[in-house]
Amino acid sequence: MIENGYYTSEFHGDYDDISIGRLDLEEGGSIPDCQLAVTTWGELNEARDNAILITTWYSGTHQIWRDVYVGPDHALNPERYFVVAINQIGNGLSVAPHNADGPNANISMARFPKVRIGDDVVAQERLLREHFGIERLELVVGGSMGAQQTYEWAVRFPDKVRRAAPIAGTAQNTPHDYLFTKALCEQFWSDPGWNEGDYKSNEDVVDGLKRHSHIWAVMGFSTEFWKQEVWRALEFTSKEQFITDFLEPYFTVMDPNDLLTMAWKWQHGDVARNTGGDLAAALGRITAKTFVMPIDEDMFFPPRDCRAEQEMVPGSELRVIEDIGGHLGLFGIAPTYMPQVDQHLGELLATEAP
Amino acid sequence: MIENGYYTSEFHGDYDDISIGRLDLEEGGSIPDCQLAVTTWGELNEARDNAILITTWYSGTHQIWRDVYVGPDHALNPERYFVVAINQIGNGLSVAPHNADGPNANISMARFPKVRIGDDVVAQERLLREHFGIERLELVVGGSMGAQQTYEWAVRFPDKVRRAAPIAGTAQNTPHDYLFTKALCEQFWSDPGWNEGDYKSNEDVVDGLKRHSHIWAVMGFSTEFWKQEVWRALEFTSKEQFITDFLEPYFTVMDPNDLLTMAWKWQHGDVARNTGGDLAAALGRITAKTFVMPIDEDMFFPPRDCRAEQEMVPGSELRVIEDIGGHLGLFGIAPTYMPQVDQHLGELLATEAP
């Protein structure tokens, strides 16, 4: 393990480290002590049937959900629901290459095993059941890789998911996304400080982390985001300053091995693994009332790809979010973003569900 | 200079090296002996008024135009027109960092000066006038950076261009394209073999050239190109093989300094330099009958950006090419591509023009 001050309560507010014990992994191997970082808002009712699960995206944590998505003015309302955000394995708050220590010392850094979306969902289900006594969720919601987990939940545990809202993500990763993610990974691997994953500090790989952020600049937003100079409204003076003062620092504090663990997981996400490769059969299993919510200007989870999957989910609806922020519209930058999300999630939560 | 067998007649067929002498550059400095590689098809008539100029794109040469676009079955018909392709400065057939020698020895490799789209167009105009006696062009046509040159011709020399067909490119480079191009450049700069541009062989930078090709894989085609596995029709067995056996070899033979010369030129392309920054004024100058021809699935020259410019060109028409090949549809991979191009260029050439 190595020290990295970013992955602390100082930067992420309060959260609990909850161990679910040993987690055996789909790709083989195991995490001896699977610690998951969990944040909750609101109260679990006596029937334990008012829980909402939030899953996290690549590079993300519960923090953005707390700051942007959850609150009494939002559909994800802690006055009504018990909202639980579980940080994904590898994100650096939950168990991850950079923080693997103690019983996990043998899987630290470059030795961290391959983790799949299914592993996360199995771990989350166990945590919710064993720690909170939750057997059924009012809603599972997540963006991007969080959408992958949301789909996996709905396919793997249909009886436990009443409603599902995958935002800006797919159930089966696309080949284009695979290549995009590979281009991101290569920025780390090509950094002379990478040292086959056994660097001493994420600072050793800062050049790779910066180039990684520059590819996000190209793919993460939309052509129109840059053309309309949206960064002006965010009080930056130039696109260059937006990159050096926002996008680079966002990523350079992070750990490359952690990001790579998530990247591999993203690349290999596929609910059809539950049904021998048959995507229609997998999505056909879903009984949750599902709103599929792509962002119209998303360059790598375009509505076309999300619609194709939505059409395989029984009783589902396509709810397109309009945002020239593109994929990173997920950050809630545009004042028009959250009202759309709240509208859709509010309607979904108000809909009868099994 | 360094040897690079790719930039020879062996790989590019016959072409002529024509010197226009010293070229003073917009950014300062000059090219002492500006050699341009030129290929022609057909015969210049006595009135010297049947000439068509083809301009080249980033990484491209006249070769793709010869193999895909020009011929008796195409709108660019050498039985009717005198078709001239002039390779852009820096492309490696024309004067470029890797081949600068003799009178150009002082500007070889990393010392090559910054070249602008306007420099190319000034050089091309001089060459056509002094070498062929051509004062007026029936058509200027080019794709991508060739579209930048096409627009520059029409704005700078309105009396010399009867018709213009910018394909999959813009008159003023967009901020998104600027960032995309920067991400491409960084793949070279970050290669330990780069050596500040003074490598001994392009092979020293092969890792950077490969990563550069991987970013093209993400941005150059479309999400749908990969989803529909178009590479199967091209007789590849996997997307990985398409990349290792087509896309990587396409780029790894090239010279990084040459690519960077073109990349900088692409990034800074802007016809509004002719009118004090006023894009509408620049495009308003155009008298050529102009067909603006974006490709519908282009991820970095989207039709939206091309349409915005087209609307500023008096009497112009928007002709959108449908191709899930995206930007690299320009390679003419899809059997449906050239019929559309020929249809539009044929109509344009049949249209009355000033």
Side-chain angles (χ1 to χ4, degrees), chain A residues 140-176:
Chain A
V140 181
V141 58
S144 199
M145 284 189 72
Q148 292 183 305
Q149 294 163 68
T150 299
Y151 273 119
E152 185 76 24
W153 261 96
V155 169
R156 195 180 276 251
F157 301 116
D159 295 341
K160 290 180 172 257
V161 184
R162 297 192 72 204
R163 299 177 189 82
I167 305 174
T170 54
Q172 182 175 65
N173 199 35
T174 66
H176 179 262

Side-chain angles (χ1 to χ4, degrees), chain A residues 296-326:
Chain A
D296 63 346
E297 295 272 357
D298 196 318
M299 291 187 76
F300 54 98
F301 291 113
R304 175 167 53 194
D305 288 344
C306 299
R307 187 187 312 114
E309 294 186 337
Q310 177 263 318
E311 288 170 353
M312 298 185 219
V313 179
S316 66
E317 296 183 28
L318 185 75
R319 299 292 185 108
V320 179
I321 299 165
E322 295 177 6
D323 196 336
I324 63 167

Side-chain angles (χ1 to χ4, degrees), chain B residues 252-274:
Chain B
T252 53
V253 293
M254 296 182 190
D255 184 84
N257 276 311
D258 292 6
L259 290 169
L260 287 166
T261 297
M262 290 184 275
W264 191 93
K265 199 196 294 180
W266 170 5
Q267 286 185 301
H268 296 85
D270 184 4
V271 295
R273 288 168 53 80
N274 293 289

Side-chain angles (χ1 to χ4, degrees), chain B residues 4 6-7 57-60 180 184 188 202-203 205-218 220-221 242-260 262 266 300 327-328 331:
Chain B
N4 183 325
Y6 171 69
Y7 300 105
W57 58 65
Y58 176 79
S59 86
F180 167 44
L184 291 172
F188 306 136
N202 64 322
E203 279 293 315
V205 197
V206 70
D207 290 343
L209 284 158
K210 283 185 185 175
R211 288 198 305 278
H212 167 273
S213 77
H214 299 170
I215 294 181
W216 276 103
V218 177
F221 303 99
F242 176 71
I243 290 170
T244 56
D245 291 3
F246 170 69
L247 210 55
E248 288 183 3
Y250 175 79
F251 283 112
T252 53
V253 293
M254 296 182 190
D255 184 84
N257 276 311
D258 292 6
L259 290 169
L260 287 166
M262 290 184 275
W266 170 5
F300 53 96
H327 190 72
L328 297 184
F331 285 173

Side-chain angles (χ1 to χ4, degrees), chain A residues 93-232:
Chain A
L93 295 184
S94 290
V95 61
H98 97 273
N99 66 20
D101 197 15
N104 295 327
N106 284 338
I107 58 165
S108 80
M109 299 295 282
R111 288 166 296 173
F112 204 78
K114 297 279 183 281
V115 181
R116 283 190 174 271
I117 295 288
D119 296 318
D120 269 288
V121 169
V122 163
Q124 290 162 8
E125 191 276 339
R126 197 197 297 176
L127 185 146
L128 291 174
R129 184 165 36 80
E130 296 183 349
H131 192 82
F132 295 106
I134 295 170
E135 294 279 357
R136 204 147 185 242
L137 292 158
E138 279 289 275
L139 170 68
V140 181
V141 58
S144 199
M145 284 189 72
Q148 292 183 305
Q149 294 163 68
T150 299
Y151 273 119
E152 185 76 24
W153 261 96
V155 169
R156 195 180 276 251
F157 301 116
D159 295 341
K160 290 180 172 257
V161 184
R162 297 192 72 204
R163 299 177 189 82
I167 305 174
T170 54
Q172 182 175 65
N173 199 35
T174 66
H176 179 262
D177 262 60
Y178 187 96
L179 296 172
F180 166 44
T181 315
K182 186 179 172 201
L184 291 171
C185 296
E186 288 183 337
Q187 305 310 310
F188 307 135
W189 296 333
S190 62
D191 190 314
W194 163 245
N195 192 29
E196 299 298 321
D198 283 322
Y199 45 85
K200 300 291 178 216
S201 158
N202 64 321
E203 277 294 313
D204 297 348
V205 197
V206 68
D207 290 343
L209 285 159
K210 283 185 184 173
R211 289 199 304 278
H212 167 274
S213 77
H214 298 169
I215 294 181
W216 275 103
V218 177
M219 289 293 295
F221 303 99
S222 74
T223 58
E224 203 61 16
F225 174 89
W226 295 108
K227 192 158 201 185
Q228 294 188 21
E229 302 186 341
V230 176
W231 41 263
R232 286 193 192 277

Side-chain angles (χ1 to χ4, degrees), chain B residues 14-305:
Chain B
D14 289 342
Y15 59 89
D16 295 312
D17 284 321
I18 301 175
S19 173
I20 59 160
R22 170 188 167 125
L23 181 70
D24 293 323
L25 301 167
E26 292 185 22
E27 289 292 302
S30 62
I31 299 173
D33 181 29
C34 186
Q35 294 265 356
L36 298 174
V38 179
T39 304
T40 68
W41 301 268
E43 302 290 331
L44 185 60
N45 65 13
E46 233 170 279
R48 300 176 192 278
D49 67 0
N50 70 332
I52 289 175
L53 173 65
I54 292 169
T55 53
T56 63
W57 58 65
Y58 176 79
S59 86
T61 70
H62 62 268
Q63 184 184 27
I64 186 88
W65 289 86
R66 182 194 62 207
D67 295 348
V68 176
Y69 290 81
V70 176
D73 299 330
H74 293 295
L76 303 179
N77 182 355
E79 293 176 359
R80 185 151 175 202
Y81 299 103
F82 179 61
V83 183
V84 185
I86 306 183
N87 289 274
Q88 67 168 298
I89 296 168
N91 89 332
L93 295 184
S94 289
V95 60
H98 96 272
N99 68 19
D101 197 14
N104 295 328
N106 285 337
I107 58 165
S108 81
M109 299 295 283
R111 289 167 293 173
F112 204 78
K114 297 278 181 282
V115 182
R116 283 190 172 271
I117 294 287
D119 296 317
D120 268 289
V121 169
V122 163
Q124 291 161 9
E125 191 277 338
R126 197 197 299 176
L127 184 146
L128 291 174
R129 184 165 35 80
E130 294 183 352
H131 191 81
F132 295 106
I134 295 169
E135 295 279 356
R136 203 149 185 240
L137 292 159
E138 279 289 274
L139 170 69
V140 181
V141 58
S144 199
M145 284 188 70
Q148 291 182 307
Q149 295 163 66
T150 299
Y151 273 118
E152 185 75 25
W153 260 98
V155 169
R156 195 179 277 252
F157 300 117
D159 295 340
K160 289 179 173 259
V161 184
R162 296 192 72 204
R163 299 177 189 83
I167 304 174
T170 54
Q172 183 176 65
N173 199 34
T174 65
H176 179 262
D177 263 60
Y178 187 96
L179 296 173
F180 167 44
T181 315
K182 185 179 172 201
L184 291 172
C185 297
E186 287 183 336
Q187 305 311 309
F188 306 136
W189 297 333
S190 62
D191 190 315
W194 163 246
N195 192 27
E196 300 298 321
D198 283 321
Y199 47 85
K200 300 292 176 213
S201 158
N202 64 322
E203 279 293 315
D204 298 348
V205 197
V206 70
D207 290 343
L209 284 158
K210 283 185 185 175
R211 288 198 305 278
H212 167 273
S213 77
H214 299 170
I215 294 181
W216 276 103
V218 177
M219 289 293 295
F221 303 99
S222 73
T223 58
E224 204 61 15
F225 174 89
W226 294 107
K227 193 158 201 185
Q228 295 188 19
E229 302 187 341
V230 175
W231 40 264
R232 285 193 193 278
L234 306 171
E235 301 190 358
F236 294 93
T237 57
S238 68
K239 68 179 182 301
E240 285 72 21
Q241 196 219 348
F242 176 71
I243 290 170
T244 56
D245 291 3
F246 170 69
L247 210 55
E248 288 183 3
Y250 175 79
F251 283 112
T252 53
V253 293
M254 296 182 190
D255 184 84
N257 276 311
D258 292 6
L259 290 169
L260 287 166
T261 297
M262 290 184 275
W264 191 93
K265 199 196 294 180
W266 170 5
Q267 286 185 301
H268 296 85
D270 184 4
V271 295
R273 288 168 53 80
N274 293 289
T275 48
D278 186 336
L279 180 62
L283 294 174
R285 273 195 193 176
I286 296 178
T287 54
K289 178 68 185 174
T290 303
F291 280 10
V292 173
M293 295 166 59
I295 297 173
D296 62 346
E297 295 272 358
D298 196 319
M299 291 186 75
F300 53 96
F301 290 113
R304 175 168 52 195
D305 287 345

